[in-house]
Amino acid sequence: RRVLWAFRGLAYAFAPFYLWKTGSTEPNSTLERFTYYLYFCVYVSFFCEGVGAVFFGLAEAEKGCKLRTPFVPFTELWFWCAFNGYLQPVGTLINIVVWATNKEYQMKLRLREILTPVLLKPDNTFRYRMPRCLRKKPRQVTQEELDERLDEWIATWRRKRNDSGRDDKAIAIKTKGKKSCVPFIGEPVFMGTLFPTHDEWLYMRDHYDQYVPLLSWEQPYGPEKFLRWYPTYREEVISLLSKPYDFKVRREVWMFGYGSLISAECPPAGLNEDQKKQIIPYWLKKQAGYRRVWNYRHGAVGINAFGLDKVADGEDGACNVCGCIYPMEYERASDLFSFREEGYELLLIDEDFFEPMHPDFVMPQGVGYLWVCGRPLLKCGDPSNNDCSIMACKRHNPTADSPILQSYIDTVIEGALRFSTTGRGHVDGSKCAFLSEFYQKVQ
């Protein structure tokens, strides 16, 4: 729109000046016809932008109602007309040349000025889906592509670690090897809907105080807290998860959180609205060889938090770790493990070591490896050394100086509870794996 305003201002000033200097009253040459065209398009653009502003105001007013109207698409369409009615056909010709020269069609970038907002959504995906009989099957990602993608992730992470002056060796990779499938050893968890349906979600939204715990000072902010806990409903989650995964196009990675990151009160920083709606419960299978323990000592704060502990091959003790998976932009994920979670090793685990807690909510195929906070970093060589004073040494058991905080436990439990209840307050009939395993670890 800034480009629109700039060109519109130039045309609005240049056309009268040119006509005054030439003394032309009607177009006689190609340049004069083009000048008349630009000057006429200024008024067309003003008109379209004005109509778009009217629909924009109606769309904003609609947010406080339960009405479903086409105001938002109309807003996008009229603003599209304001832009393209002015810069067409020159702008489209330039964009087509750039689109073809840069091979942007290989990244599935679509020319919005031709397809219009009627066919494309703001995220540049088609608004309407083809019939099932006409849809192309998602292309299977080859092992060579997964290995190439993994090499890129590792190289980027190490570069950022080196740039920040941190160790670039704290990384572990868990591949499935020659196994074609890693079976899940456990029981089903959620038997109901897991997420409320749209009608149930509307009822919950209007009676939010029955579904989210509110402290006295949180009472005025109840609706905001409800939207943090329940940002979406079943149908929308399934729709988001059904989109084909293509790393080259979406530049997203999937992550697994098993501690405070599952809480709605402290989600990972940097998630957009759609990514927050795709936080779904998942298992990390015991075959991966890890267990969740209280072994992360945050020396600067003086508390102990969750971390993973690797079980040696041939030994018992590995368990299914419950948590949540969610997508995140690739660069943000790399920054997260380079800076915020720098006390953990970066653990990249093959997607076959993960199992959904509900069969309807499954991450897209072709993710490859999930990013996980692995074992805390160990500097002194002895995790039972309570006298270790090295701030960078994280892998230690809880002590009186570094205890397990009740508020941390409450945060994790709250994150688990929001998945144990759906609909109008009815438990979905599951054994809540979040709480059962969580209490087991605390005890």
Side-chain angles (χ1 to χ4, degrees):
R1 292 175 185 174
R2 291 184 181 132
V3 175
L4 165 66
W5 296 333
F7 275 89
R8 192 166 60 189
L10 290 174
Y12 194 67
F14 169 76
F17 177 77
Y18 174 80
L19 298 176
W20 171 72
K21 290 292 292 183
T22 58
S24 175
T25 58
E26 58 182 24
N28 296 316
S29 64
T30 301
L31 180 59
E32 290 180 358
R33 291 189 183 93
F34 185 67
T35 303
Y36 271 83
Y37 163 76
L38 291 180
Y39 196 60
F40 171 74
C41 286
V42 168
Y43 292 95
V44 174
S45 177
F46 275 129
F47 174 77
C48 293
E49 194 170 11
V51 177
V54 172
F55 281 112
F56 174 77
L58 294 174
E60 289 296 307
E62 179 193 355
K63 292 182 178 179
C65 309
K66 294 183 180 180
L67 300 175
R68 287 182 174 270
T69 65
F71 290 153
V72 173
F74 283 176
T75 303
E76 297 175 357
L77 181 61
W78 280 101
F79 277 123
W80 172 85
C81 292
F83 184 83
N84 291 275
Y86 181 66
L87 294 181
Q88 299 284 26
V90 179
T92 298
L93 179 62
I94 295 174
N95 279 338
I96 291 177
V97 173
V98 173
W99 180 73
T101 304
N102 293 342
K103 297 182 178 180
E104 294 176 351
Y105 51 85
Q106 295 182 354
M107 300 179 63
K108 299 181 180 179
L109 296 179
R110 302 176 177 95
L111 291 172
R112 189 175 183 83
E113 62 266 34
I114 296 177
L115 297 175
T116 79
V118 175
L119 299 178
L120 291 181
K121 294 190 291 187
D123 61 355
N124 210 35
T125 59
F126 283 107
R127 191 176 296 276
Y128 309 103
R129 301 188 67 179
M130 296 288 290
R132 288 185 178 274
C133 59
L134 299 178
R135 295 180 197 170
K136 294 182 179 179
K137 292 183 178 180
R139 187 178 64 86
Q140 296 294 329
V141 182
T142 64
Q143 188 60 44
E144 290 75 14
E145 290 176 313
L146 293 178
D147 293 340
E148 180 182 352
R149 187 190 307 171
L150 183 63
D151 292 339
E152 177 187 347
W153 292 354
I154 295 174
T156 301
W157 176 81
R158 282 180 169 161
R159 172 177 55 80
K160 292 185 177 182
R161 295 282 289 188
N162 290 329
D163 292 344
S164 60
R166 293 181 170 89
D167 179 25
D168 65 349
K169 305 299 182 183
I171 185 172
I173 303 171
K174 180 64 179 180
T175 63
K176 65 178 180 180
K178 297 181 179 180
K179 297 180 181 179
S180 59
C181 182
V182 181
F184 175 67
I185 304 175
E187 299 180 359
V189 181
F190 294 99
M191 305 297 182
T193 62
L194 182 59
F195 291 93
T197 63
H198 184 253
D199 292 339
E200 291 171 337
W201 183 83
L202 291 176
Y203 180 90
M204 295 168 64
R205 183 196 64 183
D206 295 340
H207 303 82
Y208 61 85
D209 55 330
Q210 301 177 17
Y211 300 95
V212 294
L214 296 173
L215 300 175
S216 57
W217 61 271
E218 293 179 314
Q219 294 294 334
Y221 310 103
E224 288 81 0
K225 185 172 183 178
F226 172 81
L227 292 177
R228 288 199 306 270
W229 279 50
Y230 301 99
T232 186
Y233 44 89
R234 172 184 173 84
E235 294 85 349
E236 187 176 18
V237 177
I238 293 178
S239 175
L240 291 172
L241 293 174
S242 65
K243 296 179 180 179
Y245 177 81
D246 190 333
F247 176 73
K248 292 183 178 180
V249 175
R250 301 173 65 171
R251 303 297 290 179
E252 282 184 347
V253 298
W254 281 76
M255 308 178 70
F256 177 75
Y258 51 84
S260 60
L261 292 180
I262 72 174
S263 172
E265 298 301 322
C266 49
L271 298 186
N272 60 36
E273 293 301 320
D274 282 347
Q275 291 167 347
K276 290 178 182 178
K277 296 175 181 178
Q278 298 178 71
I279 301 177
I280 55 177
Y282 247 75
W283 287 111
L284 170 60
K285 301 176 184 178
K286 63 171 62 178
Q287 290 92 327
Y290 286 89
R291 60 181 179 178
R292 184 174 63 173
V293 293
W294 296 93
N295 67 344
Y296 179 81
R297 183 183 68 177
H298 199 312
V301 180
I303 66 169
N304 255 59
F306 272 140
L308 293 181
D309 185 31
K310 184 169 179 56
V311 178
D313 295 337
E315 294 186 5
D316 295 331
C319 61
N320 296 321
V321 179
C322 60
C324 288
I325 63 169
Y326 50 89
M328 177 179 281
E329 293 179 8
Y330 166 56
E331 290 295 336
R332 290 185 180 274
S334 185
D335 290 340
L336 178 69
F337 280 91
S338 298
F339 305 108
R340 171 182 165 178
E341 307 294 351
E342 57 89 17
Y344 294 93
E345 69 177 7
L346 171 58
L347 179 59
L348 299 173
I349 304 180
D350 192 284
E351 61 182 325
D352 282 354
F353 286 104
F354 292 87
E355 180 75 12
M357 290 190 181
H358 194 288
D360 292 345
F361 303 97
V362 182
M363 64 180 162
Q365 294 183 350
V367 170
Y369 293 85
L370 279 80
W371 297 44
V372 187
C373 290
R375 295 185 299 175
L377 302 181
L378 182 63
K379 300 293 184 181
C380 69
D382 184 8
S384 62
N385 179 15
N386 297 337
D387 297 327
C388 175
S389 59
I390 304 175
M391 294 294 290
C393 193
K394 304 294 185 181
R395 196 188 313 168
H396 285 281
N397 300 323
T399 62
D401 295 332
S402 182
I404 302 172
L405 293 186
Q406 181 64 49
S407 59
Y408 185 92
I409 297 175
D410 294 341
T411 298
V412 180
I413 290 179
E414 284 183 347
L417 281 174
R418 67 181 176 134
F419 290 110
S420 65
T421 303
T422 59
R424 302 189 178 185
H426 300 293
V427 176
D428 63 1
S430 72
K431 295 178 296 185
C432 187
F434 279 104
L435 296 180
S436 61
E437 193 205 10
F438 180 76
Y439 278 125
Q440 176 187 353
K441 295 305 176 186
V442 173
Q443 293 168 357

